[in-house]
Amino acid sequence: MRGKFKSVYIGIDDTDSRRGMCTTYLVKVLVEKLKDLGVDLIGPPRLVRLNPNIPWKTRGNGAVCIRVGKGYGEKKVVGEIEGEKIYAFRYGKDVNIDLNDIIPLLKNYFVLEDSTTNPGIVTSKRKLPEWLYWKAVRDVVDIALVERLLEENDAKFFKFKNGRGIIGASAAIAWRAKKFTYELLTYLPENKWEEERYIDKNSVIDMDKKTKYTFDNYDYENNYIAISPHSKTPVLFGIRGLHPEELIRAKDMVKSTPYNAWFIFLTNQGTDEHLVKRKIKNVKPYQNVILRGKIVEEARRIEGGHTIFKIEDSTGKIDCAAYEPTKNFRNIIEKLRVGDEVEVYGSVRDEPRTINIEKIRIRRLAEVKVKVANPRCPKCGRRMESIGKGKGYRCRRCGIKLPEEAAEFKILEREIKEGWYEVPVIARRHLSMPLKIKGMKSFKMF
Ligand code: ATP
């Protein structure tokens, strides 16, 4: 793509492997190069999470997008590279960029030897249709459809290997950020990526307590730092939140291995945008759903420590699961009783067809009666005897029979309350809205 544009959107996806790299790092590489060419960021970089239930994702199914041009108007700090501040501008005007010079630069970072890495880069002078984002965050998108759409919209794409990354890259350009949060990511120098890194646990806890708008920093129940990635990627840590300026302060509270760059991304994390209300009979594999129903089979623990129960609505029944990694969340699930009305939030597993729960809302607890004694004989007043399971009672002396319901019951005092429950931070998905931020609004950067 060569020529004069007001601004250009660049979307990138599927460049990394499970063992290393991180697609967000390419934003740093790109911005550094573009800065030398006199090209600015228009708006903050974007990290867009897509369907978390796609089997071919590497980790968190994230794609990135930046808008570049000649910036003017208000500007905000969105990052720093080796001590130099990086700004994003509110508006962009015409600029000359030859993206053909830039692609080879990015290619150096692709983990092409990994069989599941299929990078895609998309450039477009305008935003792509919004429906593409919704389909990619909630469903499965076909690459041929994306290619057609890109051609129709005069966008360019670069595919490496099977090029599946153009799906995520395009969806990232299509995101309108109606609901959003931020994540500030810190990056290690390239010669430190393979080395051991260090994050001071107490400083993370301190940061978590001293900030108002950050979320998912630390799992107090499981004693787990949730801001650092599991593998040795360029990312040292990432702090999520609703307030970009607070995030900049928050990063300085974390004591860690030194890093030489950081960026704030605008993201769809914590928005629940992957979830769709459905009836049980319409549930399909790879979707993420909200189902409302009644418990028809109480939770049982199966091998591996997973907890499974069954719900029913007017269209059918389905198993729901709180898997072992959800830890104490399983104890809540095990307190549900037949007849409780719930709303289950989670992703659909194909085989066996199960909902992997992220969150649950207990809408109404059923009145659960437990038998405390056999009934008394209405004639002689003595306790009656059971005839057999489900067959009722008989008085030995008088021969009078009474049905099962005649026994003495008490209302069970329930150990849980109606309301919301979520999996612990350690098991949280990027797109899941934590209860901590429910009903809160993110601060606008511009
Ligand atoms: P990381 O989070 O470490 O960057 P990842 O988990 O994002 O990695 P990718 O390596 O990006 O995983 O792989 C996801 C792949 O799935 C990409 O090629 C992306 O284009 C594609 N993809 C994303 N969403 C969908 C979807 N809804 N339908 C079909 N393909 C999708």
Side-chain angles (χ1 to χ4, degrees), residues 194-211:
E194 294 298 319
E195 288 181 19
E196 285 303 319
R197 60 277 302 277
Y198 163 78
I199 293 178
D200 177 67
K201 184 175 97 178
N202 290 330
S203 72
V204 176
I205 296 175
D206 195 45
M207 176 275 285
D208 184 62
K209 294 199 163 140
K210 286 187 176 145
T211 51

Side-chain angles (χ1 to χ4, degrees), residues 13-16 22-23 49-51 54 56-63 116 118 135-137 139-142 164-169:
D13 195 14
D14 209 345
T15 65
D16 53 3
C22 172
T23 302
R49 299 285 175 182
L50 300 167
N51 190 345
I54 286 287
W56 47 88
K57 68 178 184 174
T58 309
R59 282 182 296 256
N61 201 5
T116 61
N118 295 290
K135 189 159 171 64
V137 77
D139 225 313
V140 184
V141 179
D142 182 39
R164 189 157 57 200
I166 64 166
I167 303 173

